[in-house]
PDB file of all heavy atoms in Angstrom:
ATOM      1  N   ASP M 123      19.199  10.365   2.186  1.00  0.00           N
ATOM      2  CA  ASP M 123      20.312  10.468   1.203  1.00  0.00           C
ATOM      3  C   ASP M 123      20.087   9.563   0.001  1.00  0.00           C
ATOM      4  O   ASP M 123      20.771   9.664  -0.993  1.00  0.00           O
ATOM      5  CB  ASP M 123      21.627  10.106   1.881  1.00  0.00           C
ATOM      6  CG  ASP M 123      21.670   8.692   2.433  1.00  0.00           C
ATOM      7  OD1 ASP M 123      20.559   8.116   2.647  1.00  0.00           O
ATOM      8  OD2 ASP M 123      22.741   8.174   2.640  1.00  0.00           O
ATOM      9  N   ARG M 124      19.075   8.697   0.081  1.00  0.00           N
ATOM     10  CA  ARG M 124      18.804   7.824  -1.043  1.00  0.00           C
ATOM     11  C   ARG M 124      17.670   8.358  -1.957  1.00  0.00           C
ATOM     12  O   ARG M 124      17.309   7.713  -2.937  1.00  0.00           O
ATOM     13  CB  ARG M 124      18.421   6.409  -0.541  1.00  0.00           C
ATOM     14  CG  ARG M 124      19.582   5.745   0.203  1.00  0.00           C
ATOM     15  CD  ARG M 124      19.153   4.397   0.821  1.00  0.00           C
ATOM     16  NE  ARG M 124      20.203   3.791   1.592  1.00  0.00           N
ATOM     17  CZ  ARG M 124      21.120   2.912   1.201  1.00  0.00           C
ATOM     18  NH1 ARG M 124      21.088   2.534  -0.076  1.00  0.00           N
ATOM     19  NH2 ARG M 124      22.036   2.457   2.044  1.00  0.00           N
ATOM     20  N   ARG M 125      17.083   9.453  -1.532  1.00  0.00           N
ATOM     21  CA  ARG M 125      15.994  10.031  -2.322  1.00  0.00           C
ATOM     22  C   ARG M 125      16.287  11.512  -2.568  1.00  0.00           C
ATOM     23  O   ARG M 125      16.027  12.366  -1.711  1.00  0.00           O
ATOM     24  CB  ARG M 125      14.623   9.880  -1.628  1.00  0.00           C
ATOM     25  CG  ARG M 125      13.467  10.399  -2.496  1.00  0.00           C
ATOM     26  CD  ARG M 125      12.163  10.365  -1.760  1.00  0.00           C
ATOM     27  NE  ARG M 125      11.079  10.882  -2.611  1.00  0.00           N
ATOM     28  CZ  ARG M 125      10.296  10.159  -3.366  1.00  0.00           C
ATOM     29  NH1 ARG M 125      10.443   8.851  -3.393  1.00  0.00           N
ATOM     30  NH2 ARG M 125       9.362  10.715  -4.108  1.00  0.00           N
ATOM     31  N   PRO M 126      16.848  11.877  -3.737  1.00  0.00           N
ATOM     32  CA  PRO M 126      17.176  13.263  -3.981  1.00  0.00           C
ATOM     33  C   PRO M 126      16.052  14.137  -4.464  1.00  0.00           C
ATOM     34  O   PRO M 126      16.260  15.262  -4.878  1.00  0.00           O
ATOM     35  CB  PRO M 126      18.240  13.103  -5.104  1.00  0.00           C
ATOM     36  CG  PRO M 126      17.803  11.863  -5.866  1.00  0.00           C
ATOM     37  CD  PRO M 126      17.231  10.964  -4.829  1.00  0.00           C
ATOM     38  N   ARG M 127      14.806  13.618  -4.365  1.00  0.00           N
ATOM     39  CA  ARG M 127      13.637  14.396  -4.858  1.00  0.00           C
ATOM     40  C   ARG M 127      12.660  14.511  -3.727  1.00  0.00           C
ATOM     41  O   ARG M 127      12.777  13.837  -2.655  1.00  0.00           O
ATOM     42  CB  ARG M 127      13.041  13.702  -6.062  1.00  0.00           C
ATOM     43  CG  ARG M 127      12.518  12.310  -5.817  1.00  0.00           C
ATOM     44  CD  ARG M 127      12.201  11.596  -7.140  1.00  0.00           C
ATOM     45  NE  ARG M 127      11.508  10.349  -6.964  1.00  0.00           N
ATOM     46  CZ  ARG M 127      12.028   9.200  -6.654  1.00  0.00           C
ATOM     47  NH1 ARG M 127      13.343   9.130  -6.389  1.00  0.00           N
ATOM     48  NH2 ARG M 127      11.330   8.102  -6.537  1.00  0.00           N
ATOM     49  N   PRO M 128      11.659  15.381  -3.884  1.00  0.00           N
ATOM     50  CA  PRO M 128      10.659  15.600  -2.814  1.00  0.00           C
ATOM     51  C   PRO M 128       9.906  14.348  -2.430  1.00  0.00           C
ATOM     52  O   PRO M 128       9.903  13.365  -3.202  1.00  0.00           O
ATOM     53  CB  PRO M 128       9.745  16.661  -3.365  1.00  0.00           C
ATOM     54  CG  PRO M 128      10.529  17.363  -4.416  1.00  0.00           C
ATOM     55  CD  PRO M 128      11.421  16.330  -5.008  1.00  0.00           C
ATOM     56  N   ALA M 129       9.244  14.348  -1.301  1.00  0.00           N
ATOM     57  CA  ALA M 129       8.442  13.221  -0.848  1.00  0.00           C
ATOM     58  C   ALA M 129       7.306  12.949  -1.854  1.00  0.00           C
ATOM     59  O   ALA M 129       6.812  13.881  -2.531  1.00  0.00           O
ATOM     60  CB  ALA M 129       7.852  13.478   0.526  1.00  0.00           C
ATOM     61  N   PRO M 130       6.858  11.734  -2.008  1.00  0.00           N
ATOM     62  CA  PRO M 130       5.824  11.416  -2.955  1.00  0.00           C
ATOM     63  C   PRO M 130       4.436  11.937  -2.469  1.00  0.00           C
ATOM     64  O   PRO M 130       4.201  12.078  -1.263  1.00  0.00           O
ATOM     65  CB  PRO M 130       5.811   9.889  -3.009  1.00  0.00           C
ATOM     66  CG  PRO M 130       6.239   9.498  -1.654  1.00  0.00           C
ATOM     67  CD  PRO M 130       7.315  10.503  -1.265  1.00  0.00           C
ATOM     68  N   PRO M 131       3.544  12.241  -3.435  1.00  0.00           N
ATOM     69  CA  PRO M 131       2.177  12.625  -3.006  1.00  0.00           C
ATOM     70  C   PRO M 131       1.481  11.393  -2.463  1.00  0.00           C
ATOM     71  O   PRO M 131       1.766  10.230  -2.891  1.00  0.00           O
ATOM     72  CB  PRO M 131       1.559  13.098  -4.293  1.00  0.00           C
ATOM     73  CG  PRO M 131       2.333  12.395  -5.371  1.00  0.00           C
ATOM     74  CD  PRO M 131       3.730  12.265  -4.856  1.00  0.00           C
ATOM     75  N   VAL M 132       0.542  11.572  -1.531  1.00  0.00           N
ATOM     76  CA  VAL M 132      -0.309  10.517  -1.044  1.00  0.00           C
ATOM     77  C   VAL M 132      -1.652  10.624  -1.820  1.00  0.00           C
ATOM     78  O   VAL M 132      -2.325  11.657  -1.692  1.00  0.00           O
ATOM     79  CB  VAL M 132      -0.520  10.603   0.439  1.00  0.00           C
ATOM     80  CG1 VAL M 132      -1.518   9.504   0.930  1.00  0.00           C
ATOM     81  CG2 VAL M 132       0.759  10.512   1.188  1.00  0.00           C
ATOM     82  N   LEU M 133      -1.988   9.580  -2.551  1.00  0.00           N
ATOM     83  CA  LEU M 133      -3.158   9.595  -3.387  1.00  0.00           C
ATOM     84  C   LEU M 133      -4.210   8.720  -2.712  1.00  0.00           C
ATOM     85  O   LEU M 133      -4.033   7.482  -2.505  1.00  0.00           O
ATOM     86  CB  LEU M 133      -2.826   9.032  -4.753  1.00  0.00           C
ATOM     87  CG  LEU M 133      -3.675   9.352  -5.968  1.00  0.00           C
ATOM     88  CD1 LEU M 133      -3.802  10.879  -6.163  1.00  0.00           C
ATOM     89  CD2 LEU M 133      -3.133   8.687  -7.215  1.00  0.00           C
ATOM     90  N   VAL M 134      -5.340   9.356  -2.338  1.00  0.00           N
ATOM     91  CA  VAL M 134      -6.394   8.655  -1.599  1.00  0.00           C
ATOM     92  C   VAL M 134      -7.516   8.236  -2.568  1.00  0.00           C
ATOM     93  O   VAL M 134      -8.055   9.091  -3.294  1.00  0.00           O
ATOM     94  CB  VAL M 134      -6.972   9.571  -0.486  1.00  0.00           C
ATOM     95  CG1 VAL M 134      -8.027   8.778   0.348  1.00  0.00           C
ATOM     96  CG2 VAL M 134      -5.882  10.055   0.419  1.00  0.00           C
ATOM     97  N   LEU M 135      -7.836   6.938  -2.564  1.00  0.00           N
ATOM     98  CA  LEU M 135      -8.850   6.450  -3.460  1.00  0.00           C
ATOM     99  C   LEU M 135     -10.244   6.577  -2.862  1.00  0.00           C
ATOM    100  O   LEU M 135     -10.439   6.301  -1.664  1.00  0.00           O
ATOM    101  CB  LEU M 135      -8.587   4.930  -3.718  1.00  0.00           C
ATOM    102  CG  LEU M 135      -7.292   4.624  -4.461  1.00  0.00           C
ATOM    103  CD1 LEU M 135      -6.947   3.143  -4.344  1.00  0.00           C
ATOM    104  CD2 LEU M 135      -7.384   5.010  -5.935  1.00  0.00           C
ATOM    105  N   THR M 136     -11.198   7.040  -3.666  1.00  0.00           N
ATOM    106  CA  THR M 136     -12.549   7.248  -3.166  1.00  0.00           C
ATOM    107  C   THR M 136     -13.562   7.091  -4.323  1.00  0.00           C
ATOM    108  O   THR M 136     -13.210   7.312  -5.483  1.00  0.00           O
ATOM    109  CB  THR M 136     -12.703   8.598  -2.513  1.00  0.00           C
ATOM    110  OG1 THR M 136     -13.998   8.752  -1.988  1.00  0.00           O
ATOM    111  CG2 THR M 136     -12.429   9.723  -3.482  1.00  0.00           C
ATOM    112  N   ARG M 137     -14.766   6.752  -3.955  1.00  0.00           N
ATOM    113  CA  ARG M 137     -15.898   6.776  -4.862  1.00  0.00           C
ATOM    114  C   ARG M 137     -16.854   7.944  -4.595  1.00  0.00           C
ATOM    115  O   ARG M 137     -17.456   8.439  -5.500  1.00  0.00           O
ATOM    116  CB  ARG M 137     -16.696   5.455  -4.798  1.00  0.00           C
ATOM    117  CG  ARG M 137     -16.059   4.257  -5.477  1.00  0.00           C
ATOM    118  CD  ARG M 137     -16.986   3.053  -5.431  1.00  0.00           C
ATOM    119  NE  ARG M 137     -18.182   3.277  -6.207  1.00  0.00           N
ATOM    120  CZ  ARG M 137     -19.392   3.372  -5.659  1.00  0.00           C
ATOM    121  NH1 ARG M 137     -19.583   3.303  -4.373  1.00  0.00           N
ATOM    122  NH2 ARG M 137     -20.471   3.564  -6.451  1.00  0.00           N
ATOM    123  N   SER M 138     -17.000   8.237  -3.282  1.00  0.00           N
ATOM    124  CA  SER M 138     -18.058   9.174  -2.922  1.00  0.00           C
ATOM    125  C   SER M 138     -17.567  10.517  -2.416  1.00  0.00           C
ATOM    126  O   SER M 138     -18.324  11.451  -2.328  1.00  0.00           O
ATOM    127  CB  SER M 138     -18.941   8.517  -1.840  1.00  0.00           C
ATOM    128  OG  SER M 138     -18.208   8.200  -0.704  1.00  0.00           O
ATOM    129  N   LEU M 139     -16.275  10.621  -2.082  1.00  0.00           N
ATOM    130  CA  LEU M 139     -15.694  11.865  -1.615  1.00  0.00           C
ATOM    131  C   LEU M 139     -16.479  12.511  -0.453  1.00  0.00           C
ATOM    132  O   LEU M 139     -17.014  13.580  -0.639  1.00  0.00           O
ATOM    133  CB  LEU M 139     -15.555  12.845  -2.799  1.00  0.00           C
ATOM    134  CG  LEU M 139     -14.093  13.198  -3.209  1.00  0.00           C
ATOM    135  CD1 LEU M 139     -14.098  14.128  -4.400  1.00  0.00           C
ATOM    136  CD2 LEU M 139     -13.371  13.878  -2.024  1.00  0.00           C
ATOM    137  N   PRO M 140     -16.564  11.854   0.651  1.00  0.00           N
ATOM    138  CA  PRO M 140     -17.325  12.428   1.790  1.00  0.00           C
ATOM    139  C   PRO M 140     -16.697  13.679   2.366  1.00  0.00           C
ATOM    140  O   PRO M 140     -15.500  13.933   2.126  1.00  0.00           O
ATOM    141  CB  PRO M 140     -17.343  11.259   2.835  1.00  0.00           C
ATOM    142  CG  PRO M 140     -16.068  10.519   2.499  1.00  0.00           C
ATOM    143  CD  PRO M 140     -15.876  10.608   1.031  1.00  0.00           C
ATOM    144  N   GLY M 141     -17.478  14.385   3.125  1.00  0.00           N
ATOM    145  CA  GLY M 141     -17.007  15.673   3.675  1.00  0.00           C
ATOM    146  C   GLY M 141     -15.804  15.549   4.560  1.00  0.00           C
ATOM    147  O   GLY M 141     -14.906  16.387   4.582  1.00  0.00           O
ATOM    148  N   ASP M 142     -15.779  14.467   5.406  1.00  0.00           N
ATOM    149  CA  ASP M 142     -14.633  14.327   6.311  1.00  0.00           C
ATOM    150  C   ASP M 142     -13.288  14.077   5.562  1.00  0.00           C
ATOM    151  O   ASP M 142     -12.234  14.504   5.967  1.00  0.00           O
ATOM    152  CB  ASP M 142     -14.862  13.270   7.382  1.00  0.00           C
ATOM    153  CG  ASP M 142     -15.271  11.938   6.822  1.00  0.00           C
ATOM    154  OD1 ASP M 142     -15.522  11.816   5.591  1.00  0.00           O
ATOM    155  OD2 ASP M 142     -15.412  10.966   7.594  1.00  0.00           O
ATOM    156  N   LEU M 143     -13.397  13.400   4.414  1.00  0.00           N
ATOM    157  CA  LEU M 143     -12.191  13.165   3.614  1.00  0.00           C
ATOM    158  C   LEU M 143     -11.742  14.499   2.945  1.00  0.00           C
ATOM    159  O   LEU M 143     -10.576  14.783   2.944  1.00  0.00           O
ATOM    160  CB  LEU M 143     -12.500  12.127   2.552  1.00  0.00           C
ATOM    161  CG  LEU M 143     -11.301  11.767   1.655  1.00  0.00           C
ATOM    162  CD1 LEU M 143     -10.180  11.194   2.458  1.00  0.00           C
ATOM    163  CD2 LEU M 143     -11.719  10.770   0.555  1.00  0.00           C
ATOM    164  N   ILE M 144     -12.720  15.289   2.463  1.00  0.00           N
ATOM    165  CA  ILE M 144     -12.376  16.593   1.922  1.00  0.00           C
ATOM    166  C   ILE M 144     -11.684  17.488   2.995  1.00  0.00           C
ATOM    167  O   ILE M 144     -10.672  18.107   2.707  1.00  0.00           O
ATOM    168  CB  ILE M 144     -13.637  17.282   1.406  1.00  0.00           C
ATOM    169  CG1 ILE M 144     -14.153  16.501   0.134  1.00  0.00           C
ATOM    170  CG2 ILE M 144     -13.339  18.751   1.014  1.00  0.00           C
ATOM    171  CD1 ILE M 144     -15.472  17.058  -0.399  1.00  0.00           C
ATOM    172  N   ALA M 145     -12.236  17.453   4.206  1.00  0.00           N
ATOM    173  CA  ALA M 145     -11.654  18.287   5.284  1.00  0.00           C
ATOM    174  C   ALA M 145     -10.257  17.816   5.585  1.00  0.00           C
ATOM    175  O   ALA M 145      -9.354  18.654   5.775  1.00  0.00           O
ATOM    176  CB  ALA M 145     -12.566  18.222   6.529  1.00  0.00           C
ATOM    177  N   GLN M 146     -10.043  16.523   5.652  1.00  0.00           N
ATOM    178  CA  GLN M 146      -8.699  16.001   6.011  1.00  0.00           C
ATOM    179  C   GLN M 146      -7.693  16.358   4.920  1.00  0.00           C
ATOM    180  O   GLN M 146      -6.566  16.770   5.209  1.00  0.00           O
ATOM    181  CB  GLN M 146      -8.729  14.480   6.207  1.00  0.00           C
ATOM    182  CG  GLN M 146      -7.398  13.897   6.639  1.00  0.00           C
ATOM    183  CD  GLN M 146      -7.573  12.480   7.165  1.00  0.00           C
ATOM    184  OE1 GLN M 146      -8.628  12.106   7.663  1.00  0.00           O
ATOM    185  NE2 GLN M 146      -6.514  11.679   7.011  1.00  0.00           N
ATOM    186  N   CYS M 147      -8.054  16.156   3.660  1.00  0.00           N
ATOM    187  CA  CYS M 147      -7.145  16.487   2.565  1.00  0.00           C
ATOM    188  C   CYS M 147      -6.922  17.958   2.448  1.00  0.00           C
ATOM    189  O   CYS M 147      -5.780  18.421   2.177  1.00  0.00           O
ATOM    190  CB  CYS M 147      -7.693  15.923   1.254  1.00  0.00           C
ATOM    191  SG  CYS M 147      -7.723  14.149   1.142  1.00  0.00           S
ATOM    192  N   GLY M 148      -7.950  18.767   2.708  1.00  0.00           N
ATOM    193  CA  GLY M 148      -7.818  20.206   2.632  1.00  0.00           C
ATOM    194  C   GLY M 148      -6.871  20.777   3.703  1.00  0.00           C
ATOM    195  O   GLY M 148      -6.180  21.758   3.469  1.00  0.00           O
ATOM    196  N   SER M 149      -6.861  20.132   4.845  1.00  0.00           N
ATOM    197  CA  SER M 149      -5.994  20.608   5.936  1.00  0.00           C
ATOM    198  C   SER M 149      -4.542  20.157   5.787  1.00  0.00           C
ATOM    199  O   SER M 149      -3.688  20.564   6.534  1.00  0.00           O
ATOM    200  CB  SER M 149      -6.564  20.125   7.311  1.00  0.00           C
ATOM    201  OG  SER M 149      -6.484  18.704   7.383  1.00  0.00           O
ATOM    202  N   ALA M 150      -4.284  19.263   4.810  1.00  0.00           N
ATOM    203  CA  ALA M 150      -2.934  18.686   4.627  1.00  0.00           C
ATOM    204  C   ALA M 150      -2.022  19.624   3.868  1.00  0.00           C
ATOM    205  O   ALA M 150      -0.843  19.283   3.698  1.00  0.00           O
ATOM    206  CB  ALA M 150      -3.032  17.333   3.956  1.00  0.00           C
ATOM    207  N   GLY M 151      -2.561  20.699   3.333  1.00  0.00           N
ATOM    208  CA  GLY M 151      -1.682  21.648   2.602  1.00  0.00           C
ATOM    209  C   GLY M 151      -1.114  21.090   1.321  1.00  0.00           C
ATOM    210  O   GLY M 151      -0.014  21.470   0.952  1.00  0.00           O
ATOM    211  N   GLY M 152      -1.871  20.286   0.652  1.00  0.00           N
ATOM    212  CA  GLY M 152      -1.404  19.777  -0.662  1.00  0.00           C
ATOM    213  C   GLY M 152      -0.756  18.432  -0.629  1.00  0.00           C
ATOM    214  O   GLY M 152      -0.477  17.830  -1.668  1.00  0.00           O
ATOM    215  N   GLY M 153      -0.477  17.891   0.564  1.00  0.00           N
ATOM    216  CA  GLY M 153       0.215  16.616   0.649  1.00  0.00           C
ATOM    217  C   GLY M 153      -0.676  15.396   0.367  1.00  0.00           C
ATOM    218  O   GLY M 153      -0.198  14.332   0.030  1.00  0.00           O
TER     219      GLY M 153
END
Side-chain angles (χ1 to χ4, degrees):
D123 61 340
R124 297 176 186 266
R125 185 185 178 94
R127 60 193 191 280
V132 177
L133 202 57
V134 184
L135 295 165
T136 182
R137 283 185 65 248
S138 59
L139 245 177
D142 52 353
L143 182 61
I144 292 175
Q146 183 166 332
C147 292
S149 66

